[in-house]
Amino acid sequence: MHCVLSSKQVCHFEHSQCVTPWILHASCCGFATQYDIRGDILVDVGSGPTLYQVMSGCERFDRVILSDFLEVNRKVLQSWLQEGKSSIDWTAYFKYVCELEGRR
Ligand SMILES: C[S@@+](CC[C@H](N)C(=O)[O-])C[C@H]1O[C@@H](n2cnc3c(N)ncnc32)[C@H](O)[C@@H]1O
């Protein structure tokens, strides 16, 4: 399984040097399978233009706040949130996280 991050970036989930699966496994363990972390508000400081890092937490918190220093990154996130548009197709990430959490 792989997904295209942009015209030049490709994330290979199965590649041993790809850090994204490690992050998804770690957040899945923390939020879901191992520690069952829940709460009112999840604040992600320095989100960049990405949201994969909070996918495992998004149903365990009432509100998720993504933040970034750079306006360009906040605009990418706002475009996805408000208009459903994104230069990144998150489908493969959501599927991967669902599989990690034993959901389909
Ligand atoms: C390495 S990127 C991480 C992107 C994303 N969290 C990920 O895991 O792929 C770090 C981000 O933190 C943002 N950043 C750096 N200092 C910050 C600060 N003081 N407040 C908010 N965002 C900050 C940068 O603009 C950058 O987008």
Side-chain angles (χ1 to χ4, degrees):
M1 178 189 292
H2 73 276
C3 61
V4 178
L5 290 175
S6 71
S7 57
K8 292 183 180 171
Q9 295 172 287
V10 177
C11 174
H12 294 275
F13 286 97
E14 73 281 3
H15 196 289
S16 62
Q17 293 183 329
C18 180
V19 73
T20 307
W22 183 86
I23 293 171
L24 294 175
H25 275 270
S27 60
C28 176
C29 270
F31 289 123
T33 57
Q34 194 168 353
Y35 298 111
D36 192 24
I37 297 172
R38 297 173 182 277
D40 298 329
I41 303 174
L42 172 63
V43 180
D44 184 38
V45 178
S47 303
T50 66
L51 50 109
Y52 64 86
Q53 65 275 14
V54 298
M55 284 179 180
S56 280
C58 66
E59 290 185 347
R60 297 173 172 275
F61 289 80
D62 296 332
R63 293 179 65 201
V64 177
I65 297 175
L66 299 171
S67 67
D68 201 86
F69 183 72
L70 297 177
E71 186 177 2
V72 65
N73 288 337
R74 295 195 304 272
K75 280 190 173 172
V76 171
L77 296 171
Q78 281 168 346
S79 173
W80 176 80
L81 184 64
Q82 293 167 356
E83 301 166 40
K85 295 177 186 168
S86 176
S87 55
I88 302 169
D89 183 356
W90 295 109
T91 308
Y93 289 82
F94 279 114
K95 284 182 179 171
Y96 189 82
V97 169
C98 284
E99 286 173 14
L100 284 178
E101 295 181 358
R103 300 191 286 172
R104 293 242 164 212

